[in-house]
Amino acid sequence: MPAHLKKLRAARLGPVDVLHVGSAGLRSRPVRVVLSALGIAIGIATMIAVVGISSSSKAQLMEELDELGTNMLVASPGEALFSGEKVVLPRDAAGRVSRVEGVRSVGATGDLDRSVRRSEKIPEDETGGISVKAATEGLLEVLRGEMAHGTWFNAANSRYPSLVLGHVAAQRLGITEPGTQVWLDDRYFTVIGILDPLPLAPEIERSALAGWDAAKSELAFDGRPTSVYERSTDASVRDVRGLLAASIDPENPRNVQVTDPSSALQAKAATEGAFSTLLLGLGGIALLVGGVGVANTMIISVLERRHEIGLRRSMGATKGQIRIQFVTESLMLSGLGGLAGTALGAAATAAYATSGGLPWVIPLWAVTGGFAATLAIGTVAGLYPAVRASRLSPTLALHAG
């Protein structure tokens, strides 16, 4: 076949050429680009921030669990088999627990039917919900607690009328420093220490603790523990839990209730982010709305650039090249919104984590998944305008221009 009769072929567009023609529409209409990308950015920012805040909160809970440990169990009196029957633990319950294989440390508290007040001038019924408990010297170690101020009980001070306050009890009594005296059982007791918060023992946080020996001599304590706390090795927690009740009360194990204080934190960590599903859905809706905005922008762009499309077609551009041009433009528009949204979501997460003292955590899957979603939406949003542009007749397009 003669050379002049050979079918002409359109030149292929390289990657640089595709990016150049795809970005031409964005460069010529910057304000419209910003407004169109804003919807995508808001959707992605919402999704990144929701996942990031949820992950940061969960990371804090996991750090707290690692620090507090999940190997503490509490034994307390169970429910009475017959109505009106009072269930009590034996006086040597703590000693029996300490002999269970795998148990490392043991502490105990005993409830006292007493009320503590700031002074004798405060009415008896205004206690602020502060309970009084006897506490053994080993309790602080078992709870892994720390003293905010002052000192814990030892062999010397636990025999005298002294108290250690949980941090909530100290706040309710208005006490910030050791050495203050409070009114208990018609006499003054000296506060020798204030505890830091104890997430695994909220009942201790709201209590005023007296030494075990002082409670017996000064407050008529019968020596029966109400709660026995124990720490075991991580590997033996399950075995110890199965033995505690029978070890404390071999005749009636059902009289002993064994609980795991860390289970509440574990459940909270497991369910962290459940409410975030709703917010993720709202972010997804915002993202879809942003995609509709991108599609609308691209349709308007096609209508406004018919002359350009006709000119390119008349100069040999194929329908496929026109489609690639507008799909690329849609992808770049969505990609810009995705990048801006990711940055905004990360900044919002960082601000929340910093203000709340949380670790800053944004899962990689959230970033990659969110950005992939923007590209997918950009592709879908650009398909119809791209096909419509490629079907324009060069003659009619030039005539319309």
Side-chain angles (χ1 to χ4, degrees), residues 310-339:
L311 184 60
R312 290 199 62 213
R313 292 282 284 121
S314 65
M315 295 180 66
T318 65
K319 291 183 178 180
Q321 290 174 344
I322 297 298
R323 287 194 292 268
I324 290 175
Q325 172 187 348
F326 282 92
V327 169
T328 301
E329 184 174 330
S330 178
L331 278 172
M332 295 179 71
L333 180 57
S334 299
L336 288 174
L339 289 175

Side-chain angles (χ1 to χ4, degrees), residues 306-307 395-401:
R306 285 179 296 178
H307 181 74
T395 304
L396 294 177
L398 288 172
H399 178 71

